[in-house]
Amino acid sequence: MFADELAGNPAKKRADEARARRLRAKREKQAKQRRHEEEKKKASASTIASYATQNATSISESKDAKAVFDQAQENRNAALNITSGGDEKSAAAIAESLAAPELKSAAEKAAEQRKLRAEQRVATRAAVTIQSIIRSKQTAKIVRREQRAIFDKRIVDLVALSNILKSKSNQEYVAPQATATTMVAQFLFFAVPTLRDSALASDMILLGDDLSRWAQLVKYLLLPGVCGNNNIDLDPILPWMESLAGSRRFEKILTLCVKNIAFDHGKANRTKNSCCAIANSFMRAILRLDGNTYTGGGRDRVYKRSCSLLLPASATDSKNCDLFLSLRATLFFGPSLNSSPIPVDADRLHFSADRRERAGTLVKLVLDLISSLETSGAELMAICRLSSRFLVEILTVPLFSLKVISSSYDCLVREGRHGPSPLLVRYIRRFLSCNGDNLLDGGMETVLYNPDVSLNECNATPVLCLLGTLVQLGRASSALNGKSPSEIQYKPAAEYYNFLALLINAAPLGTFSSRMSAVEWVYNGSSSTPIVLSSAVIDQVSAIISASTVRGLFNCAIDNDALGTKTTLGNKTSKDKKHEQDLEELGSTSAANVAAKEAMTDRTNSIWRSGWAKKLQSLISGSGSSGIAKPTKIPSLSNGAGKLLNTSSISRQLANGKGPVDRTVTNAVMASEESNKTASELNHSAPRQDYSITLFFALCRVYCSILSRWGGYGKHDLVNRPLPEKQDKDHASATTEKCVTALLNVLCFSTSLLETAWAVVQSNPRVVSDLYAVIDVRKRGEAIRTLSSDPLYNRSVHTLGEAEGNVGAVILYIFTACLCHTLIVTDDVEIHDMEKPLPKHQLRRLILLQKKLLYRACCLDDVHEGTSKSQSVTSNSFGVALIAISANAMSDLYSRSSRRLLCSPKLWIEEDLLEKDMKRCKTHQDFISLLSVPICRICPFLVSYKCRLKLFERIVTTNRTEIQGSNELRNLRPGIMCTVNRSRVLEDGLAHLNKLGRDLRQRIVVSYLSEVGARETGVDVGGLFKEFWTDLSALAFNPDYALFKVAEGSPNMSMYPNPLSKLAHGQDHVVLFEFLGRILGKALYEGITIQPQFAHLFLSFLRGDHSYLHLLTDLSTIDTTLYNNLMFLKTYEGDVNDLCLNFTVSTDDFGVRGSEAEVPLVEDGVNVAVTNENKRSYIYLMAKYHCSDRIKEQSSAFTRGLWDVIDRSWLRLFNEPELQVLISGASDGRIDVADMKSHARYTGGYTMLDRNIVRFWSVVNKMSPKHQADLLRFVTSCERPPPLGFSSMNPPFTVQRIGIMRDGEKLPSASTCFNTLKLPTYSSEKVLRERLIYAIESGAGFELT
């Protein structure tokens, strides 16, 4: 029926009619133009002729009238000749030239005429072209309208015929190939613009009735022939492959299918949805999807052509029908192409169902086609490139999971049909195989760079968008999300999380920022513009650090039975036992006494000279020959991990004052642990058979990247090595973000990560080897600061293998970060008696390991010849953070050990540090320069206490010599006079000295007035100032004076600022504290040891580095009752809400209580209840308020005064107990008589062998410690020896001979300014003892001298 009509006369008839119409229109136009031109020429000629005649007449009367008249006549004739063939424009130009007649040559006039004629021709051609286009458009519109009518009539007949055939024989009507070709060409003619082949996307979108016609065309004309498998000859597409025009027709068909699924400028309706479904069915049919066997004959050629057009391997080869480009455009800008990539209200926005359906259709089509190509045996590299394009171009679209229906990408996250790995992991693997070389150079941002959408249009970087999409897809996959340990796939999950670690390291710094608006700077040459990152995308990424996600992942990744955690942590080697024995030998000696003894010990031989470049196993376990410990199946530690022990009953007893702080709790809890241990051993489960540690490594890499970049440790290079270049933008935050604190809370208190990580550090061969390379400069040439947490790409297997990259450093970092966080809420009882968070012998192993790491980072990196090549390598935020967190952990442990010894002091020391450097120093600036070396700034505890004391002493001495001069150099400068009345020591000192400020470094000459106002004898060469300080401290540090208060739980009566000093002294209390700080600084500056002992919490303020690590322990020394109550709360296993607590603290100032005395611990604390979830924060804030906030004003004033005289950096060399020894000497008051005797001098006739000297030392040896201290105070005005012993006393302790005739003539006397004892020659040892004790107990000044 259609063949005769399509091939018959109607078409010819229509062509003849159109040709006749065009000829008639052309003849009419030509006739009209001729008439118009003739009329215009006549009018122009008459105008020009009359003007020329008038002009010639007017000028003929001039001097040269004839010549000008002749010229005018020639112009007139020329004008008449020109206008006969010109137009109005030419005539106007001639008229203008005649209005101002000039004498022109013939050549110039000819050139003007040619120019005018050329312009006329151009204008004529332009007019003709415009008219032709308009006519063609109008004609085409008419023709398309006619063709649409013809097409509609044919399609109606075709539908009717198809329905009749289906109703009669239940068969689909398949139109002849010629019919299909003609109707498709007809539809393309009237529906698709044909101006150029490379039409814009919007040009291929069908609107109105054409959309319905297209649906009918595909459904009734193309689909039956494509889906019919019996007769290939009826396939309408096969003939198209034989010609270029047919190939272009097929490309347009595919373009229409893709564009009209992806885009739509109208409202969604049933016709549009039906069209999308039909187009999708057609493409899936020719692509052999959904079980369709589009094979045989020329169909293979159609299939290959379709695949190459729809999925080109690269964007450079793409056509209009490229699925990737259309899908990316509709995901970014919506079907109407006018939406924002990330709407302003994206966090509350629900994208329309039509938009999600359209995008989902294309996503599923792409994924199914790639899988089909993989199944059909396509080239592996082509599959990899397509998968890489999907990851780079589609998954980098912001909010992908919200813009697409979940069923379309479900195949990505479920187990694949061709292997155990989810399809998403295989796509990641293929992406790495295509871009692995670029990733080795840290080029993730370069690989994912897409120039089609700028950051100004889409306020989320491609890396951030991809990270958010992958996180959301991973949460939807049971094989990756860790919700069920039985469904987790360890190795694929490890690859997935390793890739996330790469993205996290490349993500913008604002990703996990705690600020309200995360900003990314866009660099445009010399300028930059801030862009606020999308909060919706950041929320998608933040799901990776949610508590439930972190907890579930690590519960799946940790199997302590398989890893042998308990056996590893409980194992003690001979070296561990040796360390315990060394600690037992020290007994109950306080840390301050140990420091004092160390300072007075002459270390001529090395204490620990074992080569540190041994295998790491020997360093951290002490067994050099035992090798690597193999994992042992032991009871699981996962049950109850992170929970508090049941010590409620014991805590209640302590709160009621029925027991001591330490042993009662210790014994009860240890007994409870033993019972729990037995139950655990009986009820443990067997290790999982499919367990692999690779997932644990990958998770540690992910969260290590977050902790190192946003934990506040990775921004500043503490070592301060010279760098070859500076990064354009920050890669790590300078402060700890809130999300990092929350993450550490989960890692430390909801998982067993801390114990497991430390066990893995000691037992896993790969981790041991990696750490050995980190600490041994000979094994790894790059400096520690250049370490990266990124996994390395394995070219051989095209994946991020678990053994690539430095896994050991990653495990060590995350363990150290968790340890530092755990120590904040761990008190000394838990560490020493309960062995929490780790056994003490394991902490000693950690000290040995971290000591070697810090020693290399501070002393060898970039200096040792083995690391010289790293000088040209930029620091990495992870390497910098590893150094910082290791130093922080070691400082915390050293501070803990300073309160109660964890190990012997020699375990901390790296021998011979700074010794050679100090010998080279001569001036004050030379010694000051040593304070800036990394070892002194980062980890001064690696240097022996004696060496640090020597450095401090040399700094102070050289500075004092420069300012005051010295007797030895004979340049002693006059001092500042200060007259002090013995009855007004504090008032006179405040009036004369407090105003000096930093000038207190000058020599102070004190002159005493007795209580009656008489000037006392004596010349102050330092001794009188010592006595002034002693008298002043006796008054100012008296608790009755209300400036300082004695810590009630301190065994040595240590003192701290009185929180109520303001009530006793008013606003003057700040001035008093500043003055006392300056006087203490002056005492340190002059080398005077003083009597008062300060509390640990106050010494932290003096160092200028107040640590909140010891809040609970500090609280136990100043308020035992409150401490016991908080410990009860910490271990309370019931509902804390029952206790009716809130975040406020009530003060009791001299018994006055009231509502105004309630201080909120947090904002609106009275309305914030204490719960089981926030009770740790409540305990911390309570301890902080009592140990820090209440005395902050007083402590700050005291430190300001102290730092006026003693630079803050000088005190950073010491921790709190060491600083106490520096201030007050040995804390127990005992004097080393042997040291005193060996460094004493004798004058006036005495010698060491004189019998009176022998009697004197015999008497001193037999004295009580109190009398020995009184003797030392009598001679030197200070009852404690210098920190470095009597060898550093200046002037030295001296005994001067005083001859007498009778024993009763004179008492022993002293010159404190010269540290000289004036000892008379008594007749016997008994008399000497009696007279000496009487003299030192008399308490007089110089009157007895």
Side-chain angles (χ1 to χ4, degrees):
M1 176 181 69
F2 291 105
D4 296 339
E5 181 181 355
L6 294 173
N9 294 327
K12 183 177 180 182
K13 180 179 180 180
R14 288 193 298 273
D16 293 341
E17 292 175 354
R19 189 180 303 108
R21 285 195 299 270
R22 287 195 295 273
L23 290 175
R24 286 195 301 271
K26 184 177 181 181
R27 285 194 293 269
E28 292 175 358
K29 180 180 178 181
Q30 290 175 351
K32 185 175 180 180
Q33 286 179 346
R34 283 195 298 271
R35 289 193 300 271
H36 180 69
E37 290 174 357
E38 290 176 356
E39 292 175 357
K40 187 164 53 175
K41 288 178 182 178
K42 292 179 181 179
S44 299
S46 60
T47 302
I48 294 172
S50 60
Y51 178 79
T53 305
Q54 294 174 1
N55 189 26
T57 305
S58 62
I59 63 175
S60 60
E61 300 174 357
S62 62
K63 181 178 179 180
D64 214 354
K66 187 175 184 304
V68 176
F69 183 82
D70 293 340
Q71 181 65 40
Q73 289 294 335
E74 292 178 1
N75 292 342
R76 178 176 179 276
N77 295 334
L80 292 175
N81 293 333
I82 293 173
T83 52
S84 61
D87 54 9
E88 293 181 356
K89 182 177 180 181
S90 300
I94 296 172
E96 183 179 355
S97 63
L98 292 178
E102 297 179 358
L103 300 177
K104 296 183 180 179
S105 64
E108 290 176 346
K109 290 187 286 186
E112 290 179 356
Q113 294 173 5
R114 287 194 297 272
K115 182 178 179 181
L116 293 174
R117 288 194 295 272
E119 291 176 355
Q120 181 183 4
R121 288 193 294 270
V122 170
T124 302
R125 284 196 297 268
V128 171
T129 302
I130 292 172
Q131 294 174 358
S132 175
I133 292 174
I134 293 174
R135 286 196 303 270
S136 63
K137 289 288 185 180
Q138 293 174 345
T139 304
K141 185 176 181 180
I142 297 172
V143 172
R144 287 195 181 96
R145 188 185 306 117
E146 295 174 354
Q147 291 299 315
R148 282 188 176 92
I150 297 171
F151 181 88
D152 291 342
K153 179 181 178 182
R154 293 173 178 173
I155 203 69
V156 169
D157 295 341
L158 186 64
V159 171
L161 181 61
S162 177
N163 292 334
I164 293 173
L165 184 61
K166 189 173 184 179
S167 62
K168 297 296 183 181
S169 61
N170 198 23
Q171 294 181 358
E172 291 285 348
Y173 172 72
V174 180
Q177 293 177 339
T179 301
T181 300
T182 303
M183 291 192 68
V184 168
Q186 185 181 18
F187 178 82
L188 293 177
F189 168 75
F190 66 74
V192 179
T194 57
L195 292 178
R196 52 186 182 274
D197 293 333
S198 57
L200 298 175
S202 59
D203 294 333
M204 303 297 286
I205 299 175
L206 300 176
L207 301 175
D209 294 335
D210 283 347
L211 186 62
S212 177
R213 295 185 182 97
W214 167 247
Q216 292 178 329
L217 174 68
V218 175
K219 181 177 180 180
Y220 294 104
L221 199 65
L222 299 181
L223 267 179
V226 170
C227 296
N229 299 323
N230 297 327
N231 191 353
I232 299 178
D233 294 336
L234 295 179
D235 191 334
I237 302 177
L238 294 183
W240 300 351
M241 298 295 101
E242 304 299 330
S243 63
L244 180 60
S247 296
R248 290 182 177 176
R249 186 182 305 118
F250 180 62
E251 181 180 339
K252 288 183 179 181
I253 291 295
L254 292 181
T255 303
L256 281 173
C257 290
V258 173
K259 299 296 183 182
N260 288 279
I261 293 177
F263 306 112
D264 180 26
H265 287 309
K267 296 183 179 179
N269 54 44
R270 182 177 299 178
T271 301
K272 295 177 182 179
N273 295 336
S274 174
C275 179
C276 293
I278 293 172
N280 183 45
S281 300
F282 172 72
M283 288 192 294
R284 298 184 73 87
I286 62 176
L287 294 174
R288 302 175 180 175
L289 302 178
D290 297 334
N292 190 289
T293 55
Y294 188 73
T295 58
R299 286 183 170 179
D300 292 339
R301 185 177 176 185
V302 176
Y303 170 73
K304 293 179 180 179
R305 178 64 176 166
S306 302
C307 293
S308 63
L309 290 174
L310 293 173
L311 293 182
S314 63
T316 56
D317 301 330
S318 62
K319 303 290 185 179
N320 284 335
C321 53
D322 187 348
L323 283 172
F324 286 120
L325 296 182
S326 298
L327 176 57
R328 180 174 172 82
T330 191
L331 287 174
F332 260 110
F333 306 107
S336 59
L337 294 178
N338 57 6
S339 300
S340 174
I342 305 178
V344 178
D345 57 345
D347 51 344
R348 301 184 303 273
L349 180 67
H350 296 284
F351 295 98
S352 64
D354 177 66
R355 177 174 180 173
R356 298 174 70 241
E357 286 284 350
R358 288 175 179 273
T361 300
L362 292 181
V363 168
K364 185 170 179 58
L365 182 62
V366 171
L367 294 176
D368 289 348
L369 181 53
I370 296 177
S371 298
S372 174
L373 292 173
E374 183 181 3
T375 305
S376 62
E379 183 183 356
L380 178 61
M381 200 59 205
I383 301 297
C384 291
R385 284 194 293 267
L386 292 176
S387 302
S388 178
R389 280 198 69 190
F390 182 82
L391 197 102
V392 172
E393 298 182 27
I394 306 304
L395 295 187
T396 55
V397 174
L399 308 177
F400 171 85
S401 58
L402 299 180
K403 296 178 178 178
V404 180
I405 55 175
S406 59
S407 59
S408 63
Y409 59 78
D410 182 61
C411 60
L412 276 175
V413 296
R414 68 171 184 264
E415 290 189 9
R417 294 174 294 177
H418 310 294
S421 301
L423 185 61
L424 178 63
V425 177
R426 299 206 299 274
Y427 273 42
I428 293 174
R429 198 177 299 156
R430 295 164 186 169
F431 168 80
L432 294 172
S433 67
C434 293
N435 304 282
D437 292 335
N438 295 327
L439 296 180
L440 286 177
D441 301 328
M444 180 64 76
E445 295 180 357
T446 303
V447 173
L448 297 181
Y449 173 69
N450 291 308
D452 56 336
V453 180
S454 66
L455 199 57
N456 292 316
E457 296 177 284
C458 173
N459 56 335
T461 65
V463 174
L464 184 62
C465 295
L466 178 59
L467 179 59
T469 298
L470 291 183
V471 168
Q472 295 302 314
L473 294 179
R475 295 182 69 193
S477 174
S478 59
L480 304 175
N481 57 22
K483 292 183 178 179
S484 174
S486 60
E487 297 181 13
I488 193 76
Q489 297 183 12
Y490 287 95
K491 292 188 177 180
E495 293 185 52
Y496 167 76
Y497 286 106
N498 275 327
F499 187 68
L500 287 190
L502 277 176
L503 295 175
I504 289 173
N505 279 328
L509 191 57
T511 303
F512 295 106
S513 174
S514 58
R515 292 172 296 181
M516 293 296 295
S517 299
V519 177
E520 179 75 0
W521 289 87
V522 179
Y523 293 90
N524 301 319
S526 59
S527 61
S528 57
T529 305
I531 300 296
V532 179
L533 296 177
S534 168
S535 59
V537 179
I538 291 177
D539 289 342
Q540 286 193 330
V541 177
S542 299
I544 193 68
I545 58 174
S546 66
S548 58
T549 300
V550 176
R551 190 182 303 113
L553 287 173
F554 275 101
N555 286 340
C556 290
I558 295 176
D559 188 344
N560 286 315
D561 294 338
L563 297 175
T565 301
K566 192 170 184 179
T567 299
T568 303
L569 296 182
N571 181 39
K572 287 187 179 181
T573 64
S574 58
K575 195 169 184 179
D576 293 325
K577 296 176 181 178
K578 178 63 170 58
H579 293 156
E580 289 182 355
Q581 183 179 357
D582 294 340
L583 189 59
E584 290 175 359
E585 292 176 356
L586 296 174
S588 59
T589 306
S590 66
N593 285 338
V594 172
K597 290 180 180 179
E598 181 194 352
M600 292 184 287
T601 301
D602 186 12
R603 297 179 180 275
T604 56
N605 297 320
S606 176
I607 294 176
W608 188 67
R609 291 189 177 276
S610 58
W612 65 269
K614 294 180 179 179
K615 289 186 177 180
L616 181 63
Q617 184 65 17
S618 65
L619 286 174
I620 60 177
S621 67
S623 177
S625 60
S626 61
I628 303 302
K630 296 182 179 179
T632 306
K633 295 181 180 180
I634 62 169
S636 175
L637 295 179
S638 59
N639 295 330
K643 294 183 179 179
L644 293 171
L645 298 174
N646 182 10
T647 59
S648 301
S649 60
I650 306 300
S651 299
R652 290 189 187 98
Q653 295 179 13
L654 294 177
N656 295 326
K658 297 181 180 179
V661 177
D662 49 4
R663 297 309 305 174
T664 306
V665 178
T666 302
N667 296 334
V669 173
M670 292 180 68
S672 175
E673 283 188 319
E674 290 297 328
S675 62
N676 291 338
K677 174 182 176 183
T678 304
S680 176
E681 290 176 349
L682 293 176
N683 299 322
H684 72 274
S685 58
R688 298 193 291 268
Q689 298 297 325
D690 59 341
Y691 177 76
S692 173
I693 199 174
T694 56
L695 177 58
F696 178 74
F697 288 161
L699 290 177
C700 287
R701 226 184 266 281
V702 169
Y703 294 103
C704 175
S705 300
I706 296 174
L707 294 176
S708 61
R709 288 194 62 195
W710 287 275
Y713 291 102
K715 181 177 176 61
H716 302 294
D717 187 357
L718 295 181
V719 182
N720 285 347
R721 301 296 189 197
L723 302 180
E725 59 184 21
K726 184 178 181 181
Q727 294 181 348
D728 293 335
K729 54 184 178 180
D730 294 336
H731 193 257
S733 63
T735 58
T736 302
E737 303 292 350
K738 292 181 180 179
C739 65
V740 172
T741 303
L743 174 61
L744 285 172
N745 286 335
V746 178
L747 294 176
C748 296
F749 307 122
S750 298
T751 72
S752 60
L753 174 62
L754 190 144
E755 297 90 346
T756 304
W758 183 240
V760 168
V761 165
Q762 300 176 78
S763 61
N764 185 270
R766 175 63 186 178
V767 175
V768 171
S769 176
D770 286 346
L771 286 179
Y772 177 40
V774 170
I775 67 171
D776 191 346
V777 70
R778 296 170 299 181
K779 293 294 182 180
R780 185 180 188 273
E782 292 80 11
I784 295 178
R785 63 176 177 80
T786 65
L787 278 174
S788 172
S789 62
D790 284 342
L792 297 183
Y793 172 67
N794 190 333
R795 291 186 178 91
S796 59
V797 295
H798 304 301
T799 184
L800 294 171
E802 67 275 5
E804 300 299 324
N806 199 308
V807 178
V810 170
I811 303 298
L812 179 61
Y813 183 92
I814 199 169
F815 160 76
T816 307
C818 290
L819 178 65
C820 290
H821 192 71
T822 304
L823 287 176
I824 296 175
V825 293
T826 306
D827 58 11
D828 290 348
V829 174
E830 291 174 307
I831 291 178
H832 291 274
D833 299 330
M834 300 168 58
E835 295 196 329
K836 298 292 182 181
L838 288 174
K840 286 188 288 185
H841 70 279
Q842 295 292 343
L843 292 178
R844 297 186 194 104
R845 296 183 186 184
L846 172 65
I847 290 170
L848 288 171
L849 172 61
Q850 296 281 24
K851 180 175 70 172
K852 298 306 175 185
L853 185 146
L854 292 175
Y855 175 69
R856 174 183 172 174
C858 297
C859 301
L860 299 180
D861 280 348
D862 302 313
V863 178
H864 189 275
E865 59 182 5
T867 62
S868 57
K869 62 180 181 180
S870 66
Q871 294 178 1
S872 60
V873 181
T874 305
S875 295
N876 187 281
S877 61
F878 170 73
V880 171
L882 178 60
I883 298 173
I885 196 72
S886 299
N888 190 42
M890 286 286 280
S891 179
D892 290 349
L893 291 174
Y894 188 68
S895 185
R896 291 282 189 180
S897 188
S898 69
R899 299 186 67 105
R900 185 174 173 186
L901 293 177
L902 284 170
C903 59
S904 61
K906 64 183 181 181
L907 201 67
W908 298 94
I909 299 171
E910 193 70 34
E911 290 299 320
D912 301 330
L913 287 179
L914 292 186
E915 295 287 352
K916 296 180 179 179
D917 297 316
M918 288 180 62
K919 291 179 181 178
R920 291 194 296 265
C921 295
K922 301 298 181 183
T923 65
H924 175 70
Q925 291 301 323
D926 294 339
F927 288 106
I928 284 291
S929 64
L930 293 181
L931 296 177
S932 61
V933 299
I935 199 71
C936 289
R937 289 185 294 100
I938 301 174
C939 45
F941 42 79
L942 297 188
V943 184
S944 68
Y945 181 47
K946 180 178 181 179
C947 184
R948 284 178 279 142
L949 276 176
K950 286 182 178 179
L951 177 58
F952 178 82
E953 187 268 336
R954 294 309 302 157
I955 289 174
V956 171
T957 301
T958 53
N959 184 257
R960 187 171 64 241
T961 302
E962 290 180 358
I963 295 175
Q964 300 179 6
S966 66
N967 287 321
E968 292 80 0
L969 300 176
R970 297 182 179 180
N971 62 347
L972 187 65
R973 297 178 179 87
I976 300 174
M977 297 299 298
C978 176
T979 302
V980 178
N981 192 303
R982 287 191 178 275
S983 62
R984 294 174 50 84
V985 174
L986 181 59
E987 292 80 355
D988 290 348
L990 180 64
H992 290 90
L993 301 180
N994 192 45
K995 60 185 179 181
L996 296 179
R998 202 169 187 82
D999 287 339
L1000 272 174
R1001 291 187 177 185
Q1002 298 183 30
R1003 192 165 66 93
I1004 305 297
V1005 181
V1006 176
S1007 176
Y1008 264 115
L1009 300 178
S1010 66
E1011 294 182 0
V1012 297
R1015 186 175 298 276
E1016 297 181 358
T1017 59
V1019 179
D1020 186 10
V1021 193
L1024 285 179
F1025 179 79
K1026 297 177 186 178
E1027 188 172 356
F1028 164 71
W1029 164 253
T1030 304
D1031 295 337
L1032 177 64
S1033 63
L1035 174 62
F1037 292 101
N1038 189 333
D1040 294 337
Y1041 199 69
L1043 283 177
F1044 281 85
K1045 188 176 181 180
V1046 176
E1048 62 183 55
S1050 174
N1052 57 356
M1053 302 295 290
S1054 59
M1055 311 187 78
Y1056 67 99
N1058 191 333
L1060 307 180
S1061 61
K1062 185 176 181 179
L1063 297 178
H1065 298 277
Q1067 295 297 334
D1068 292 339
H1069 80 125
V1070 175
V1071 178
L1072 290 173
F1073 276 108
E1074 285 184 353
F1075 171 62
L1076 292 179
R1078 292 189 178 97
I1079 295 301
L1080 175 60
K1082 180 62 174 177
L1084 290 174
Y1085 193 75
E1086 299 293 341
I1088 302 173
T1089 54
I1090 65 172
Q1091 170 64 24
Q1093 298 279 301
F1094 295 123
H1096 189 279
L1097 60 95
F1098 183 54
L1099 290 168
S1100 295
F1101 279 102
L1102 300 188
R1103 295 179 64 248
D1105 187 20
H1106 187 269
S1107 174
Y1108 297 101
L1109 185 68
H1110 308 282
L1111 289 176
L1112 289 176
T1113 306
D1114 287 336
L1115 183 62
S1116 68
T1117 63
I1118 65 174
D1119 194 335
T1120 306
T1121 302
L1122 178 60
Y1123 170 78
N1124 289 334
N1125 289 336
L1126 291 179
M1127 289 301 98
F1128 162 75
L1129 177 63
K1130 181 178 180 180
T1131 56
Y1132 183 66
E1133 63 179 359
D1135 188 358
V1136 177
N1137 284 314
D1138 298 339
L1139 303 179
C1140 299
L1141 299 174
N1142 57 25
F1143 276 77
T1144 61
V1145 57
S1146 299
T1147 59
D1148 185 2
D1149 299 341
F1150 297 117
V1152 179
R1153 291 181 55 87
S1155 59
E1156 68 278 4
E1158 287 194 353
V1159 179
L1161 298 176
V1162 296
E1163 185 178 356
D1164 195 24
V1166 70
N1167 295 320
V1168 180
V1170 179
T1171 64
N1172 288 335
E1173 289 73 22
N1174 62 16
K1175 65 180 180 180
R1176 286 193 184 91
S1177 298
Y1178 175 76
I1179 294 171
Y1180 168 80
L1181 292 173
M1182 283 288 288
K1184 178 176 177 290
Y1185 173 77
H1186 285 279
C1187 296
S1188 175
D1189 296 345
R1190 293 191 73 191
I1191 63 171
K1192 188 173 184 179
E1193 183 181 14
Q1194 297 90 328
S1195 300
S1196 298
F1198 193 95
T1199 53
R1200 283 197 303 271
L1202 173 64
W1203 295 341
D1204 275 346
V1205 185
I1206 301 295
D1207 282 351
R1208 182 178 180 179
S1209 60
W1210 301 358
L1211 300 177
R1212 290 282 184 94
L1213 291 171
F1214 313 102
N1215 67 0
E1216 290 82 359
E1218 292 169 347
L1219 184 57
Q1220 184 63 69
V1221 173
L1222 179 67
I1223 294 172
S1224 303
S1227 60
D1228 58 0
R1230 294 181 179 274
I1231 294 176
D1232 188 347
V1233 178
D1235 181 53
M1236 182 179 178
K1237 180 179 178 181
S1238 63
H1239 294 94
R1241 293 173 57 185
Y1242 309 97
T1243 62
Y1246 276 147
T1247 65
M1248 186 174 60
L1249 300 178
D1250 191 283
R1251 62 179 180 177
N1252 286 288
I1253 296 300
V1254 174
R1255 291 171 182 170
F1256 170 75
W1257 289 118
S1258 177
V1259 169
V1260 174
N1261 270 321
K1262 295 176 183 178
M1263 281 181 175
S1264 65
K1266 182 181 182 304
H1267 282 160
Q1268 289 178 350
D1270 291 341
L1271 171 63
L1272 189 59
R1273 182 180 183 276
F1274 179 74
V1275 178
T1276 67
S1277 78
C1278 299
E1279 64 180 17
R1280 299 176 183 274
L1284 289 171
F1286 287 93
S1287 62
S1288 63
M1289 180 174 284
N1290 185 28
F1293 185 86
T1294 304
V1295 182
Q1296 181 180 348
R1297 184 180 185 276
I1298 301 296
I1300 58 174
M1301 297 299 294
R1302 295 185 307 274
D1303 289 341
E1305 287 186 3
K1306 290 185 179 181
L1307 289 173
S1309 59
S1311 294
T1312 55
C1313 48
F1314 295 106
N1315 296 335
T1316 299
L1317 173 65
K1318 298 178 181 180
L1319 184 65
T1321 55
Y1322 294 111
S1323 60
S1324 66
E1325 181 177 334
K1326 179 181 179 181
V1327 176
L1328 189 151
R1329 175 182 175 84
E1330 292 174 353
R1331 298 292 181 175
L1332 184 60
I1333 292 177
Y1334 180 79
I1336 63 179
E1337 289 181 347
S1338 64
F1342 285 90
E1343 288 84 354
L1344 296 176
T1345 301

